[in-house]
Amino acid sequence: MSIKKNNQSALNEKAGISPPEITSATAIDQIKISRKKQPTAQELIDGILAGNITALSRAITLIESTNIVHLEKASEVINGCLPYSNKSIRIGITGVPGVGKSTFIEAFGKHLTNLGKKVAVLAVDPSSTISHGSILGDKTRMEELVKDKNAFIRPSASGETLGGVARKTRETIILCEACGFDVILIETVGVGQSETAVHSMVDFFLLLKIAGAGDELQGIKRGIMEMADAIIINKADGDNIKKAQLAKVEFNRALHLFPAKKSGWIPTTATCSAITHKGIDAVWQTILNYLELVNSNHYFIEKRKEQNQFWMMETIDEQLKNHFYNQPSIIKLLDSTKKAVQNNEVSPFAAAQILLDSYFKK
Amino acid sequence: MSIKKNNQSALNEKAGISPPEITSATAIDQIKISRKKQPTAQELIDGILAGNITALSRAITLIESTNIVHLEKASEVINGCLPYSNKSIRIGITGVPGVGKSTFIEAFGKHLTNLGKKVAVLAVDPSSTISHGSILGDKTRMEELVKDKNAFIRPSASGETLGGVARKTRETIILCEACGFDVILIETVGVGQSETAVHSMVDFFLLLKIAGAGDELQGIKRGIMEMADAIIINKADGDNIKKAQLAKVEFNRALHLFPAKKSGWIPTTATCSAITHKGIDAVWQTILNYLELVNSNHYFIEKRKEQNQFWMMETIDEQLKNHFYNQPSIIKLLDSTKKAVQNNEVSPFAAAQILLDSYFKK
């Protein structure tokens, strides 16, 4: 089984396709009409609350803008949507390239829309910055979901930093929820810092793996296995079924060595095939079991409150650092100070103090 | 096997014993003499470089002081010692209360001093702040090492924050190295954030466990197992030997499911008994094997450079946050803003912006 070396995601692949196009075929015409005038924040809020995908898409575009006027409008829309958000289940899905995330999301998403759910698929992938985030999913990989009017697929926002990308995704969740989406799937590529960010914006964290532990599994970042609420061994089809079941047993054994989760949930393992659809329904049942537990022990609401506070603090932290490292005086000093620290000429703490003194102009 | 519920550490136990006393019995007299005058920074540097334990202890006391004059002197001493530091092997030792960290450190430390090594034992335990950090180890637990003139035991510094405690320990390492200590053991209690801090100041990270996975192992913080370069199953003596060997096999299997380490090192598992001393020599051999690998692939020096940079950035980050959260305007706003975020009246990002605008007085 070969692994693609670059972090390919079906949500970040083909250039030149404008984001709202996939939401539904009829949406294109609506967009053409609505592009002629700029809707007000209130119009966008009303549209989103009415379940209008075009309004949702346009509001997300405002969130992703770098224009300060757009961002102020975005902020107004978010605050207007806030009281109507918070009602979905947010599921993080990670796994290294090659485990079949796109086909899994397609099969899982279709399973949910067939149950009458409205499903939004988002992504956190700061590497998409290179392609300016305007790239859309390879339609051949999620062709069923793309055509489903109860599904909304949006590629990763672009951004200079993971913090920026994560913030935009976090805000997009609020809008999707206000727009009536019951299930938010957030894909991430499993090889960077993004998982921690995604972990702190979802209710349930799902790790996709494939059988055959070895080189192909080495790409996943340390610590991710411990975050998982469920490990799903994908591609359990054909000759692979037996291997996948063995892998399941092995991961299950490993999970039991980990400390207990604050949620009281004992992480589960399962096999599934996104191609034959075997095991897809069981994944959803696992999530329902989880929800039953965390609703009854109040962890669900506590975790969301904690996450909100976490994001507030994170945003403050990021902006404080941005402000510091963008000061001309710091930019001037930073390289030589780093070099002095590397050469052991000054302790890391004394070096930090030099920079801080310059920043606070002591 | 019962576990003490409060984070007991032999380095933080009995009150009323002044820190330098344990370094050696004769040191007490030296301290009494030297207390009569305040040595200059240069005198302290000269003393430390000459291997004088009293000078070392006094310099550490300056590091731990909250007096600005003391801190400036400490900074001078640290910078004077820097060129002579960096020569030891720094080993982090963690494990929940009850795994026998103190007896392990005693046995391991004695093994090293018997080999002619000079061993410093430090600790990172921010919870010791409650007891003002002036507490010293229970001598009955490390009675051999305490009397050993080639060993130096210093309890955890006190501090308001983990960052503060970690910084003081980091600086203490520099002084210990300049004073000729070859092996620095840094104990931490295995139940908090401290392990991440310790992990980023050591070369080798050792996790102590005991056989019988169950409730008593649940106390360890998530993610620590993945940090470990070696997992040692302690208390492999008497009736426990077979259980310990089974636990070793199980942990070994689990470790193989983790992603590869940047160092190229494959974490090992072993059993040992701090009481019968069986397996203690093998722990040291494992560390020597590790050193051989990371010296030949240059990871050792690269990691230290990275750690230095990490500490510089961490210090900056911590101070920026301190400055922010100590502003009267922020203190006034913070509680109500947090409440608004919790009640979903404002998004975490808009809330952060309100506070940031107030801080930067936009």
Side-chain angles (χ1 to χ4, degrees), chain B residues 106-167:
Chain B
E106 159 104 335
F108 188 57
K110 279 306 290 180
H111 179 73
L112 295 173
T113 56
N114 287 341
L115 293 174
K117 303 280 175 197
K118 285 186 74 184
V119 180
V121 183
L122 312 175
V124 171
D125 178 13
S127 68
S128 74
T129 297
I130 301 157
S131 48
H132 305 292
S134 62
I135 299 167
L136 234 186
D138 180 347
K139 286 188 178 184
T140 59
R141 288 219 215 162
M142 291 199 195
E143 58 182 355
E144 290 295 317
L145 207 57
V146 155
K147 287 182 282 186
D148 195 323
K149 68 174 176 34
N150 285 318
F152 173 73
I153 303 177
R154 182 86 181 189
S156 180
S158 70
E160 298 279 312
T161 61
L162 169 60
V165 174
R167 193 194 71 235

Side-chain angles (χ1 to χ4, degrees), chain A residues 290-307:
Chain A
Y290 175 82
L291 284 177
E292 202 184 322
L293 174 78
V294 294
N295 279 321
S296 71
N297 68 14
H298 309 296
Y299 179 76
F300 186 87
I301 189 75
E302 280 312 309
K303 188 182 182 186
R304 285 214 168 168
K305 279 187 185 172
E306 260 177 40
Q307 286 178 334

Side-chain angles (χ1 to χ4, degrees), chain A residues 147-209:
Chain A
K147 287 181 282 185
D148 194 323
K149 68 175 175 32
N150 286 318
F152 173 72
I153 302 177
R154 183 84 182 193
S156 180
S158 70
E160 299 279 312
T161 62
L162 169 61
V165 174
R167 194 193 70 235
K168 289 167 188 178
T169 306
R170 192 72 171 47
E171 293 177 334
T172 299
I173 292 174
I174 294 169
L175 302 192
C176 289
E177 288 178 341
C179 196
F181 287 92
D182 316 291
V183 183
I184 319 281
L185 305 179
I186 302 159
E187 185 201 330
T188 176
V189 287
V191 290
Q193 291 290 332
S194 319
E195 287 63 40
T196 314
V198 170
H199 184 246
S200 55
M201 63 174 85
V202 298
D203 306 306
F204 191 91
F205 199 68
L206 204 151
L207 172 60
L208 283 185
K209 291 250 184 189

Side-chain angles (χ1 to χ4, degrees), chain B residues 144-207:
Chain B
E144 290 295 317
L145 207 57
V146 155
K147 287 182 282 186
D148 195 323
K149 68 174 176 34
N150 285 318
F152 173 73
I153 303 177
R154 182 86 181 189
S156 180
S158 70
E160 298 279 312
T161 61
L162 169 60
V165 174
R167 193 194 71 235
K168 288 167 189 177
T169 305
R170 192 70 169 48
E171 293 177 335
T172 299
I173 293 174
I174 293 170
L175 301 192
C176 289
E177 288 177 342
C179 195
F181 287 92
D182 315 292
V183 183
I184 319 280
L185 305 180
I186 301 158
E187 185 201 333
T188 176
V189 285
V191 290
Q193 291 289 332
S194 318
E195 287 63 42
T196 314
V198 170
H199 184 246
S200 55
M201 63 173 87
V202 299
D203 307 307
F204 191 90
F205 198 68
L206 205 151
L207 172 60

